[in-house]
């Protein structure tokens, strides 16, 4: 509950400050969940500044945060895609051997040809030295998509190259159309759009993934299959947030959580995810199966909730005057619709007796 609930683009939603302060004063375990990709410590500082309360980094669950649990990938040589501090973020998550799109292009200068200047450089290299590859390049074991990159065309090209060559562009299969398996690919969040300062929503990571999937299908003839997906609306992010909330509750001397209220502004992401999570919570804990088809946390003593209520606010992506909720898709229908996060809190406090 950050973008569209606490902030809208660069602007702060005024009622958010007293609302969060009230929750903190009541010792309600609060976790901030967002599909942005940045260090949790930086987001915690930002939230602390605008809310006037001390938010700990552990209270912040961002798109990449649940990747800490995918420890079987942490020792693999991974390509990370995104922008800004993606290498640092990948290391914070636990990945130990990391490369980037830029480094792959340095190792294989013939890959990035959309930029015509690179064609000129390659022609000059071929004339003077011949085609030179980095002989020390280690094949990529897995691809981790931490967020939308800046140069989409370069990233799309290189990621598909790696998928079609099992992570080693030096070894090109004779016919990519016959290839069905590829190296593992892990993605953070599927937000098609996000709310910014512009009047219209902007393309998010989901738009980049749609391009990647369409191009891969066109070139290989096969559907792109992800090994893992984290971030909203995937259930593992809601589970991870619950484990953090339970840690806070136990530290406060409170019992473990029985009910979760998830406040969001996007029916396609926040509400779909909260509703899927609520469905999972109805399953026996030892028989829980992901509705989205991706990873779940299993056997954690910090998973105790039995229900998750979804509350949709009208301060972000969802604007009731412009678009009605799709009642044909029950996953997109929230338990309640409230004007803003303050009205959501009033609703919650009326339902709950809080010590």
């Amino acid at each position: 509950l950050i973008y569209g609930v606490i902030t809208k683009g660069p602007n702060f939603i005024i009622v958010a400050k007293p609302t969060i302060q009230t929750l903190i004063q009541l010792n309600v375990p609060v976790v901030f969940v967002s599909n942005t990709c940045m260090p949790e410590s930086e987001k915690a500082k930002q939230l602390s500044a605008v809310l006037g309360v001390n938010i700990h980094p552990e209270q912040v669950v961002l798109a990449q945060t649940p990747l800490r649990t995918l420890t079987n990938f942490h020792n693999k040589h991974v390509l990370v895609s995104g922008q800004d501090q993606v290498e640092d973020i990948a290391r914070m998550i636990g990945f130990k051997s990391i490369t980037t799109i830029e480094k792959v292009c340095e190792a294989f200068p013939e890959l990035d040809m959309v930029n015509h200047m690179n064609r000129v450089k390659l022609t000059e290299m071929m004339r003077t030295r011949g085609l030179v590859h980095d002989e020390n390049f280690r094949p990529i074991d897995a691809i981790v998509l931490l967020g939308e990159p800046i140069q989409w065309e370069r990233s799309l090209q290189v990621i598909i190259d790696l998928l079609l060559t099992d992570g080693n562009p030096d070894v090109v299969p004779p016919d990519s159309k016959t290839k069905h398996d590829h190296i593992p690919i892990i993605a953070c969040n599927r937000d098609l759009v996000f709310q910014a300062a512009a009047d219209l929503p902007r393309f998010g990571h989901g738009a980049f993934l749609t391009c990647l999937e369409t191009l891969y299908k066109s070139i290989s003839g096969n559907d792109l299959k992800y090994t893992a997906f984290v971030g909203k609306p995937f259930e593992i992010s809601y589970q991870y947030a619950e484990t953090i909330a339970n840690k806070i509750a136990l530290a406060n001397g409170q019992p473990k959580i029985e009910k979760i209220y998830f406040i969001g502004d996007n029916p396609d992401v926040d509400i779909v995810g909260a509703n899927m999570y609520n469905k999972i919570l109805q399953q026996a804990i030892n028989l829980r199966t992901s509705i989205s088809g991706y990873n779940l946390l299993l056997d954690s003593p910090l998973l105790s909730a039995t229900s998750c209520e979804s509350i949709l606010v009208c301060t972000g992506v969802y604007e009731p005057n412009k678009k009605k909720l799709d009642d044909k898709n029950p996953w997109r229908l929230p338990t309640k619709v409230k004007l803003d996060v303050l009205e959501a809190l009033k609703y919650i406090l009326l339902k709950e007796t809080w010590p």
Side-chain angles (χ1 to χ4, degrees), residues 267-306:
D268 295 313
V269 179
D270 304 318
I271 303 306
V272 166
N275 287 339
M276 287 197 301
Y277 192 39
N278 183 59
K279 188 72 173 179
I280 284 178
L281 294 179
Q282 312 310 308
Q283 302 170 3
I285 193 164
N286 58 333
L287 298 175
R288 287 178 177 172
T289 304
S290 168
I291 294 165
S292 67
Y294 293 100
N295 301 56
L296 291 179
L297 300 179
L298 301 173
D299 302 324
S300 171
L302 294 173
L303 293 175
S304 59
T306 56

Side-chain angles (χ1 to χ4, degrees), residues 245-259:
N246 261 322
K247 287 181 181 178
I248 297 170
L250 293 173
N252 290 342
Q254 299 163 341
K256 289 182 181 179
I257 292 166
E258 293 183 4
K259 187 167 187 176

Side-chain angles (χ1 to χ4, degrees), residues 288-330:
R288 287 178 177 172
T289 304
S290 168
I291 294 165
S292 67
Y294 293 100
N295 301 56
L296 291 179
L297 300 179
L298 301 173
D299 302 324
S300 171
L302 294 173
L303 293 175
S304 59
T306 56
S307 66
C308 175
E309 191 164 324
S310 57
I311 304 176
L312 178 65
V313 294
C314 308
T315 47
V317 170
Y318 175 64
E319 299 181 57
N321 295 331
K322 293 184 178 180
K323 188 176 181 180
K324 299 298 181 183
L325 287 171
D326 179 11
D327 57 7
K328 295 179 182 178
N329 183 350

